Amino acid sequence: MDEFILIFRHEDGQKLASPEQIQIWMKQTMDWIGGIAAQNKFSSGTGLPFDDARVVRPNNVVTNGPFGEIKETIGGYIIVKANSVDEAVEFAKGCPVLQGEGNSVEVRKIAKADNVH
């Protein structure tokens, strides 16, 4: 069994949801993750808030960010155990992030410690 990362991409990171909508999405997300965990396929995951975010560029240029520089943001990720990329994609299809217009879930296989994919 391999591990896959499901990356939550938001088309417009500048849009802010209401606290009520965030609460609804968080419950939906926890229920979705709970369903994956019930199959013993959840490894880990977290959200990626903007608080204290920095962007490091060549020549040691550091900016607060990534605000204003990007159209798309990464809101978080989970790592799942799956027998194939197709199984990982099936998990991704149920992600509540997909309810947002233009949002997506990127699925990638994680390289093993021996660098064999």
Side-chain angles (χ1 to χ4, degrees):
M1 188 168 307
D2 293 310
E3 287 191 315
F4 294 84
I5 187 167
L6 281 56
I7 304 167
F8 312 144
R9 295 186 172 277
H10 301 275
E11 184 175 79
D12 186 351
Q14 302 301 320
K15 288 183 182 176
L16 296 176
S18 70
E20 295 81 14
Q21 186 60 56
I22 290 171
Q23 189 173 17
I24 291 168
W25 287 334
M26 287 304 297
K27 180 177 180 343
Q28 291 172 338
T29 300
M30 296 312 295
D31 290 348
W32 171 67
I33 290 172
I36 295 169
Q39 300 173 58
N40 200 28
K41 300 282 181 129
F42 177 76
S43 289
S44 66
T46 190
L48 299 171
F50 285 135
D51 300 348
D52 293 326
R54 302 289 186 274
V55 176
V56 179
R57 301 194 185 284
N59 301 316
N60 296 322
V61 174
V62 179
T63 59
N64 291 337
F67 319 107
E69 303 171 5
I70 56 173
K71 295 180 102 172
E72 179 183 72
T73 61
I74 297 174
Y77 67 91
I78 66 168
I79 296 174
V80 298
K81 295 177 266 188
N83 293 312
S84 67
V85 68
D86 293 329
E87 182 181 14
V89 165
E90 288 304 311
F91 290 140
K93 287 179 180 178
C95 183
V97 165
L98 297 174
Q99 295 175 31
E101 184 178 337
N103 291 351
S104 62
V105 178
E106 181 178 340
V107 178
R108 289 192 185 191
K109 187 175 180 180
I110 296 175
K112 296 180 181 177
D114 59 7
N115 293 323
V116 175
H117 299 279

